[in-house]
Amino acid sequence: MGMRIGLVCPYSWDVPGGVQQHVGDLADALIARGHEVSVLAPVGDGTADLPDHLVPAGRPVPVPYNGSVARLSFGPRTAARVRRWIARGDFDVLHIHEPAAPSVSLLACWAAEGPLVGTFHTANPRSRAMAAGSHALRSALEKVHARIAVSEAARRTLVEHVGGDAVLIPNGVAVRRFAAAPPLPGFPGGGGSLGFLGRLDEPRKGLAVLLEAFALLAPHRPGLRLLVAGPGDPGPALAALPAGLRGRVVLTGRLDDADKVRAYHSADLFCAPNLGGESFGIVLTEAMAAGAAILASDIPAFSAVLGGGAAGELFTTGDAADLARRADALLDDPDRRAALSRAARRAVLAYDWDTVAADIVHVYETVLHGAGTRVRTR
């Protein structure tokens, strides 16, 4: 029997991000399973093409948060929108993502009573926001009946800053969506290619490290190119690259969903050079679903997703020379890349939305059994 489910996303829906993508894909998976879903999230672009189940919670403002810049909505007007949405939704269960985020998520925790589920995505052992607000957060989070963490790192952050525990259910990926696609025009090319996907102006995504490694590889690989996909201005990171090599870096800008899939199929070696602050690694599971040969930094979240190196090779985080050395060896070894591709396709099945959504619905059912009431405003 279908449920009425409210999903709350704290970050601006029209700005790409892992939490937004998780919530959007979860909504699609729940609808496909026969549930009614409404998503509440900030929206900054009034012309954005929004899904029918998305309810705008107000315009966001950029705020430094957990080592990045998050676009959040807060204040009396947003709080009133949150309360109206909850009151009108008549939800069986309210699923709040990042309940600690000072945005519509925390407002929903304060406003709602009844069957509440919270998913924690953040992995930041030095989270000033969570530490400073731990007392206020505890009072809000006491109302959450079940907690989900997308990774062990996210679970550890929750335990250290707020207390309590969470069931571990990873981020999902629509495996079939990424499984096959033609490469982007001109790729991968005869001289080999490296691929990167992420925000170009966010230092923790590690583009500067990859560009430094490319500068080490390029002189003895005259046909090698670097495909860089994602929004933002690469700025100083690209400026540091020798001028003679910049023409071999192809910048696509932000890609639509179809071309993003094509980008994963466009490189001989997909690189994830992130420096930290990742609780999971959606970009890795997408690349795995595409069957990419992966070379990633050895941050804990990436190592966990890649099975300690079984489904993709790891290099020392922040070490451009190590990245270049390992990439050089992989570019010369198509059999090793093919083996990594096969291992990635096998490993990613554990993250398919069919599996992940079923686990989340089980949490909903457990909460509903214990709560015995619907969601309401307090």
Side-chain angles (χ1 to χ4, degrees):
M1 182 176 177
M3 291 180 275
R4 289 184 57 83
I5 301 164
L7 302 179
V8 182
C9 175
Y11 306 130
S12 184
W13 192 260
D14 49 304
V15 176
V19 176
Q20 297 94 312
Q21 182 172 332
H22 176 99
V23 175
D25 286 349
L26 174 58
D28 291 342
L30 292 172
I31 291 169
R33 296 174 72 91
H35 303 290
E36 294 183 53
V37 177
S38 178
V39 178
L40 182 73
V43 177
D45 183 358
T47 65
D49 185 17
L50 304 177
D52 292 339
H53 53 262
L54 192 285
V55 177
R59 294 185 63 83
V61 295
V63 177
Y65 182 67
N66 279 333
S68 183
V69 176
R71 289 160 177 80
L72 312 170
S73 291
F74 204 78
R77 293 181 64 182
T78 302
R81 290 191 181 99
V82 171
R83 290 183 64 85
R84 284 197 300 271
W85 175 75
I86 294 171
R88 294 171 180 172
D90 192 30
F91 300 120
D92 293 298
V93 63
L94 186 64
H95 187 173
I96 303 170
H97 291 260
E98 295 285 50
S103 185
V104 292
S105 291
L106 187 55
L107 292 171
C109 277
W110 285 337
E113 300 281 359
L116 271 61
V117 174
T119 287
F120 296 81
H121 299 258
T122 297
N124 188 346
R126 294 174 295 277
S127 173
R128 295 179 180 176
M130 292 185 75
S134 59
H135 178 72
L137 290 177
R138 285 192 182 97
S139 65
L141 296 179
E142 284 174 356
K143 299 164 68 177
V144 176
H145 289 77
R147 301 174 181 184
I148 298 170
V150 300
S151 67
E152 178 57 34
R155 189 198 69 81
R156 190 163 53 248
T157 298
L158 168 67
V159 171
E160 291 175 356
H161 289 291
V162 181
D165 208 341
V167 61
L168 188 61
I169 302 178
N171 280 305
V173 62
V175 171
R176 287 183 293 275
R177 183 192 307 167
F178 291 88
L184 295 171
F187 281 92
S193 61
L194 305 177
F196 170 92
L197 193 148
R199 286 201 64 87
L200 311 190
D201 52 3
E202 194 166 337
R204 67 186 179 95
K205 300 301 182 184
L207 178 59
V209 176
L210 179 56
L211 288 167
E212 186 180 346
F214 183 72
L216 296 173
L217 288 166
H220 67 276
R221 290 184 173 275
L224 183 67
R225 290 183 299 161
L226 173 59
L227 176 66
V228 176
D233 181 359
L238 187 59
L241 193 69
L245 298 180
R246 292 174 200 165
R248 293 161 62 181
V249 178
V250 179
L251 302 170
T252 70
R254 181 182 296 179
L255 298 175
D256 61 24
D257 289 344
D259 279 343
K260 183 172 76 166
V261 176
R262 296 180 68 187
Y264 285 119
H265 289 269
S266 297
D268 294 297
L269 185 62
F270 181 80
C271 298
N274 304 50
L275 300 177
E278 307 289 342
S279 68
F280 180 76
I282 289 178
V283 68
L284 287 189
T285 54
E286 291 179 347
M288 291 163 71
I294 297 169
L295 178 58
S297 55
D298 63 354
I299 61 175
F302 285 5
S303 181
V305 171
L306 294 174
E313 286 204 4
L314 301 167
F315 72 92
T316 303
T317 300
D319 188 337
D322 191 37
L323 194 167
R325 179 176 62 83
R326 293 177 182 273
D328 205 23
L330 286 168
L331 288 169
D332 284 336
D333 192 345
D335 290 341
R336 173 61 176 159
R337 296 201 311 272
L340 289 174
S341 172
R342 291 191 296 270
R345 288 187 185 273
R346 289 193 300 269
V348 80
L349 295 177
Y351 303 103
D352 187 74
W353 269 115
D354 287 345
T355 299
V356 173
D359 289 342
I360 292 174
V361 168
H362 179 69
V363 173
Y364 295 166
E365 291 169 345
T366 302
V367 168
L368 285 171
H369 179 74
T373 184
R374 300 177 81 85
V375 178
R376 63 192 184 281
T377 54
R378 63 177 181 83

